[in-house]
């Protein structure tokens, strides 16, 4: 009976880790494909520091999943205690890292206030400098969430952006445009007209957006942590059951 249970556990663990292995391989393949410059795609990604950083995040995630799946598959099907122990240690490290990140997010939640983001925006936002990660991040946020500044367009008063562009009231990322060169609406917007300007602050916009995803994100985190715990239990059971 014990042997049948271990055999069932072994094949379940193999199937589970095989899908992890395939997912890691796919992410690695996408990351390498982008870095090998297919049809100039790398130049498109490199133009945005956020996208370029994302490629390396995809590569790192793919590498970890690839290694995790490989250790789990080989350790289970070959009944190798060393591979199973390595799999257990890697899962444990990921679990502790996620737990530490959650604790730090809870401890430092007080710093993520409107005042903090407003102060940082005034000090560091430059407007059109795509090579500056802070600026390009804010441009992406304002464009994605159809917002302007932290609280609104008034956040750009007495800011580094106004020092660099004294004739411009708000950056183009705050403007509603049709995307055509020489768009009159953009010219009026950056000159101070509220007609073609996004007037909602990004703090409220992002909070409204993520509140709808908060429950799903929490449920997903619980599912992931539960799967990791079961994976560690399965690995230890197989480790102890293999003679």
């Amino acid at each position: 009976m014990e042997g049948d249970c271990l055999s069932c556990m072994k094949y379940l663990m193999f199937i589970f880790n095989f899908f992890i292995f395939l997912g890691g391989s796919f992410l690695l393949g996408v990351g390498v494909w982008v870095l090998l410059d297919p049809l100039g795609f790398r130049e498109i990604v490199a133009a945005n520091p956020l996208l370029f950083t994302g490629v390396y995040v995809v590569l790192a995630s793919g590498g970890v999943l690839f290694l995790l799946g490989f250790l789990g598959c080989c350790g289970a099907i070959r009944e190798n205690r060393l591979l199973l122990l390595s799999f257990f240690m890697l899962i444990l490290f990921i679990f502790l890292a996620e737990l530490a990140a959650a604790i730090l997010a809870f401890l430092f939640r007080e710093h993520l206030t409107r005042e903090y983001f407003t102060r940082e925006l005034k000090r560091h936002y430059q407007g059109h400098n795509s090579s500056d990660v802070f600026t390009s991040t804010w441009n992406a946020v304002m464009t994605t969430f159809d917002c302007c500044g932290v609280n609104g367009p008034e956040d750009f008063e007495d800011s580094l952006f106004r020092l660099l562009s004294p004739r411009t009231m708000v950056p183009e990322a705050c403007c509603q445009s049709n995307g055509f060169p020489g768009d009159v609406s953009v010219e009026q917007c950056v000159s101070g007209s509220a007609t073609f300007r996004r007037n909602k602050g990004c703090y409220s916009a992002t909070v409204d957006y993520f509140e709808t995803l908060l429950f799903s994100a929490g449920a997903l985190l619980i599912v992931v942590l539960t799967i990791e715990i079961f994976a560690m239990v399965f690995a230890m059971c197989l480790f102890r059951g293999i003679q």
Side-chain angles (χ1 to χ4, degrees), residues 130-151:
S130 61
S131 62
D132 179 65
V133 176
F134 184 89
T135 298
S136 60
T137 301
W138 264 105
N139 286 336
V141 168
M142 290 189 287
T143 302
T144 302
F145 293 98
D146 291 326
C147 55
C148 183
V150 178
N151 307 288

Side-chain angles (χ1 to χ4, degrees), residues 173-191:
C174 285
C175 301
Q176 302 172 6
S177 65
N178 55 27
F180 295 115
D183 188 356
V184 177
S185 62
V186 173
E187 294 179 2
Q188 293 179 358
C189 170
V190 297
S191 298

Side-chain angles (χ1 to χ4, degrees), residues 209-224:
Y209 176 79
F210 284 111
E211 273 183 348
T212 62
L213 302 177
L214 191 60
F215 181 79
S216 300
L220 180 61
L221 179 62
I222 292 173
V223 169
V224 169

